[in-house]
Amino acid sequence: MLREMLAEPLIAERTGEDGTGEDARALAIELLPDEVIGRIAAGEAIERPASVAKELIENAIDAGASSVYVEVEAGGRRRLRVTDNGLGIRFGEIDLAFKRHATSKLRTAGDLQGISTLGFRGEALSSIAAVSRATIVTRHRDDAMGISLTLRGGKIERQQRVGAPAGTAVSISNLFFNTPARLAFLKSEATEKRHIHWVVLRYAMAYPEVAFALKQDGRERFRSSGGGELADVVAKAFGLKAFKSMIAIDETDERRKSRERIDVKGFTSLPELSRASRDRIVLFVNGRAVQDSALSHAVTQAYDGLLPAGAFPFTVLLITMPPDQVDVNVHPTKAEVRFRDSQRVFVMAQRALREALLRSVDTTPAAEIWSAAAFSEDTIAYRNPRAPWWRETGDELFDDAGLATIPWTADAPARPRTLPPLRVVGQVGAEYIIAEGPAGLYLIDQNAAHERVLYQEIVDQSADGGLQSAALTESQNVLLSPDDAALLGEVSDLFAQLSFEIEVFGPHSFLIRRAPRLLSSSPASDYLPRMLERLRHSAKTSDCARQALALVAATRRGQIMQPEEMQALIAQLERCPAPFASPSGGKTLVHLSREDLAYEFRRR
């Protein structure tokens, strides 16, 4: 049988309609016509109208434009025009500009090792023209006259000399008229308009010194001044309300003189501002908008313990590094890059964001209105520009009149303060602590505050040799659901890192012999399912496991606390590096300044 199979011809015959055999060898390997090659190349680089806008904007920036104007009709299907005041194209080079792989950006293969321009492939104009009707009007700064060129499907229909300002205007209409499959896959007009909008916003943020304007269907949707201030553009892109909850990033890696310098700048949101998707994480490398999963992960990792699972920040991150340290020749759309030292870039980006977030403690409204000054070796005064001095001496705190006293425990954490000293006034509904400080009134969520304090304690213990654990006097048997039992098997290493000792006792039954000291007095049947539920909806990392542990160990809402318990909790929160949010992402406190209170009571 095998011999018969091997004896059969490897190439079968087709049977035509007339019954005759047509040899499949008729489909021999041949060079494709230029028209087909052009459409294939266009399909790789031009995915939608926003791709056209991106390529033309990049050409404008490479040409040294200080102004870029984008006009769109019907989501770019009917018409898309990009006008710039850049260098322009010389009269003798206009024909060449629309040929494939014609570029002024590089000359040799070695030039690919250090590309400093946005474009370099020489495919943008030819790909765009291959699938549209294109008109370009351009004049080089050194030429007296401009030129107008009209193409259809990549073929020149008309060429003439015209008067024109220096720069280039490219108008694209009937996009994908000759590639119906690509046209059919376009989304709704509103979706395509949104994609174009974000292309313009991204490059306006990457190049704040360039004035951008976007007009869609006769209505101006965006305009930047070109004044060079990134803050101005970010505020326009995200909205002033969101920008008020963002902080600046400015970090340079020069600690290793043998390494090339990396600069990380931009803006990122405080934990109070987030959204349910990553679409507001905008990344640039050497002025190029990129999509990089590792960099995006570095951003989200910087918020560990500050945002709940499924919440993502608003971040604009501009990374500048030597061109030879990054490979941009990875993908036809140039949206992906490859770093020579990806780990270094990842760590640098994560550290820059994390340090900016920690520094933000000093500029958050709840903290910015107090400062400390030494009165003597054992006395510290806390100053609010709109309130009295508060003096901390030994274990007590007094105001200038000596009327308010705040007991202070001798074993208070030794970290620097991130909140002003607070005095507990009472408790509301067994859920919230009322406290007074030199900056006004504070309402503190006792559950969120305790979760933040415990999380920090767990992190500190983990860094100091391991979490404190206790052997249970009697092993606890816990019966889990099938899903929870399977998940516990997946994350058993994480529980071991948290000092749990768990044994399998049956199909879905487990024995808890040892647990972190934080939980030693709690029933495992209570906290174990809650920890697993938390891990089910988050990344399976050590930090998420710590967050889950802090969550289940925290004081629950509805628990009445004694004054000394509340004061001890507040004393620890005052020294947490990030006191304003729990690891789950909830607020720990609400601050009402004296001005807020006066306004509520209409006092002038």
Side-chain angles (χ1 to χ4, degrees):
M1 183 67 178
L2 179 61
R3 187 185 304 275
E4 293 173 357
M5 292 174 62
L6 291 174
E8 292 179 358
L10 294 178
I11 300 179
E13 288 186 0
R14 295 184 193 153
T15 302
E17 293 181 359
D18 58 356
T20 61
E22 178 188 350
D23 194 340
R25 289 188 183 88
L27 295 179
I29 296 175
E30 296 179 358
L31 285 174
L32 291 172
D34 289 342
E35 180 182 1
V36 177
I37 293 173
R39 293 190 191 182
I40 292 173
E44 293 177 339
I46 308 301
E47 301 172 338
R48 60 193 333 149
S51 305
V52 176
K54 171 184 175 293
E55 297 291 349
L56 296 179
I57 288 172
E58 289 184 350
N59 280 352
I61 293 171
D62 284 342
S66 62
S67 174
V68 179
Y69 185 39
V70 182
E71 299 171 88
V72 180
E73 293 179 14
R77 300 187 193 194
R78 184 183 308 148
R79 181 170 175 266
L80 191 153
R81 179 182 176 90
V82 176
T83 306
D84 70 68
N85 65 347
L87 188 62
I89 302 174
R90 294 184 185 277
F91 171 73
E93 297 176 353
I94 188 65
D95 292 348
L96 194 60
F98 283 89
K99 294 187 179 297
R100 294 188 65 227
H101 306 308
T103 179
S104 62
K105 313 298 172 56
L106 52 84
R107 289 292 180 266
T108 67
D111 294 339
L112 289 169
Q113 305 302 315
I115 295 172
S116 58
T117 55
L118 295 174
F120 61 90
R121 292 177 179 273
E123 291 184 327
L125 289 178
S126 64
S127 295
I128 293 169
V131 291
S132 69
R133 181 180 178 88
T135 299
I136 181 171
V137 177
T138 183
R139 179 174 73 82
H140 191 274
R141 291 176 185 172
D142 297 337
D143 291 342
M145 290 285 289
I147 185 170
S148 173
L149 192 70
T150 301
L151 304 94
R152 179 182 175 85
K155 296 180 179 179
I156 297 176
E157 289 188 335
R158 185 172 66 253
Q159 179 176 334
Q160 61 184 1
R161 300 300 299 267
V162 295
T168 301
V170 182
S171 183
I172 304 300
S173 60
N174 300 328
L175 185 64
F176 300 134
F177 77 96
N178 55 356
T179 52
R182 178 57 56 89
L183 185 64
F185 275 90
L186 289 182
K187 303 299 182 183
S188 68
E189 183 176 314
T191 299
E192 298 301 337
K193 286 168 66 175
R194 187 169 62 250
H195 280 285
I196 294 171
H197 186 215
W198 272 100
V199 165
V200 176
L201 293 187
R202 287 189 182 98
Y203 280 97
M205 287 186 280
Y207 297 88
E209 69 279 6
V210 178
F212 282 85
L214 170 64
K215 189 175 184 179
Q216 292 192 336
D217 296 325
R219 181 182 175 188
E220 186 170 286
R221 304 294 299 179
F222 175 79
R223 180 177 292 274
S224 65
S225 66
E229 292 294 331
L230 176 61
D232 293 342
V233 186
V234 174
K236 285 182 176 291
F238 290 151
L240 187 58
K241 183 178 179 181
F243 180 71
K244 287 181 177 178
S245 295
M246 300 182 76
I247 54 175
I249 304 165
D250 192 350
E251 194 79 14
T252 299
D253 186 0
E254 289 184 309
R255 294 179 300 173
R256 296 280 298 273
K257 296 298 182 181
S258 61
R259 291 185 172 187
E260 297 289 352
R261 168 173 169 154
I262 297 179
D263 290 315
V264 179
K265 298 183 185 297
F267 286 88
T268 197
S269 59
L270 293 168
E272 65 196 47
L273 176 66
S274 64
R275 60 190 282 119
S277 66
R278 291 183 172 86
D279 63 353
R280 293 298 183 269
I281 299 177
V282 185
L283 307 171
F284 302 95
V285 176
N286 290 348
R288 185 187 305 278
V290 300
Q291 299 167 356
D292 189 278
S293 58
L295 271 181
S296 181
H297 184 58
V299 172
T300 56
Q301 281 287 89
Y303 282 82
D304 270 358
L306 299 177
L307 287 178
F312 303 94
F314 287 61
T315 302
V316 178
L317 206 61
L318 294 92
I319 299 175
T320 305
M321 59 197 308
D324 62 353
Q325 297 296 306
V326 56
D327 182 7
V328 299
N329 188 27
V330 177
H331 191 272
T333 64
K334 301 167 291 185
E336 298 177 14
V337 295
R338 185 181 295 114
F339 299 105
R340 180 169 293 183
D341 189 346
S342 58
Q343 182 63 23
R344 181 190 175 210
V345 178
F346 179 96
V347 171
M348 177 67 181
Q350 185 186 49
R351 186 178 71 238
L353 267 78
R354 191 71 179 185
E355 291 183 359
L357 288 167
L358 294 180
R359 285 196 303 268
S360 71
V361 168
D362 297 327
T363 58
T364 305
E368 67 182 357
I369 54 179
W370 65 275
S371 57
F375 270 18
S376 63
E377 290 184 359
D378 60 349
T379 302
I380 297 177
Y382 294 89
R383 175 69 169 167
N384 175 355
R386 302 182 294 275
W389 284 93
W390 287 46
R391 303 179 186 175
E392 180 183 347
T393 306
D395 62 353
E396 293 186 317
L397 192 73
F398 305 94
D399 68 5
D400 270 352
L403 298 177
T405 302
I406 297 181
W408 194 247
T409 57
D411 58 348
R415 296 189 196 92
R417 283 188 181 279
T418 53
L419 285 174
L422 306 178
R423 177 175 68 89
V424 171
V425 176
Q427 189 180 23
V428 179
E431 292 189 31
Y432 305 102
I433 300 169
I434 306 173
E436 177 192 11
L441 181 70
Y442 295 79
L443 296 177
I444 297 154
D445 184 319
Q446 65 191 39
N447 173 263
H450 197 205
E451 186 185 341
R452 166 53 61 191
V453 167
L454 287 178
Y455 171 79
Q456 192 59 50
E457 183 180 334
I458 293 166
V459 169
D460 291 344
Q461 289 183 18
S462 299
D464 196 30
L467 207 60
Q468 295 180 6
S469 65
L472 305 184
T473 52
E474 292 185 6
S475 299
Q476 297 186 30
N477 184 14
V478 182
L479 183 64
L480 299 176
S481 68
D483 288 345
D484 280 352
L487 179 58
L488 182 57
E490 293 177 21
V491 297
S492 58
D493 288 346
L494 297 181
F495 277 83
Q497 293 174 25
L498 295 178
S499 302
F500 281 92
E501 188 177 317
I502 303 176
E503 293 182 7
V504 178
F505 193 65
H508 303 134
S509 182
F510 299 86
L511 278 181
I512 314 298
R513 299 192 181 277
R514 196 175 188 90
R517 194 175 297 277
L518 296 171
L519 300 175
S520 57
S521 60
S522 303
S525 58
D526 181 13
Y527 63 71
L528 192 58
R530 292 176 64 206
M531 288 188 68
L532 290 169
E533 180 65 19
R534 170 72 176 172
L535 286 170
R536 175 173 287 108
H537 301 292
S538 63
K540 309 302 187 292
T541 64
S542 298
D543 196 69
C544 287
R546 297 188 193 111
Q547 293 176 30
L549 177 56
L551 178 67
V552 301
T555 301
R556 294 193 182 182
R557 295 179 178 89
Q559 180 175 330
I560 296 175
M561 300 179 68
Q562 297 302 313
E564 58 273 15
E565 293 176 322
M566 290 187 284
Q567 191 65 64
L569 174 60
I570 298 304
Q572 292 175 297
L573 184 65
E574 291 169 3
R575 309 273 180 163
C576 279
F580 300 102
S582 71
S584 302
K587 281 187 177 181
T588 58
L589 58 85
V590 173
H591 171 236
L592 296 174
S593 68
R594 294 170 184 267
E595 288 76 8
D596 294 333
L597 294 172
Y599 176 81
E600 292 299 327
F601 287 100
R602 300 299 188 270
R603 289 171 53 189
R604 298 290 184 265

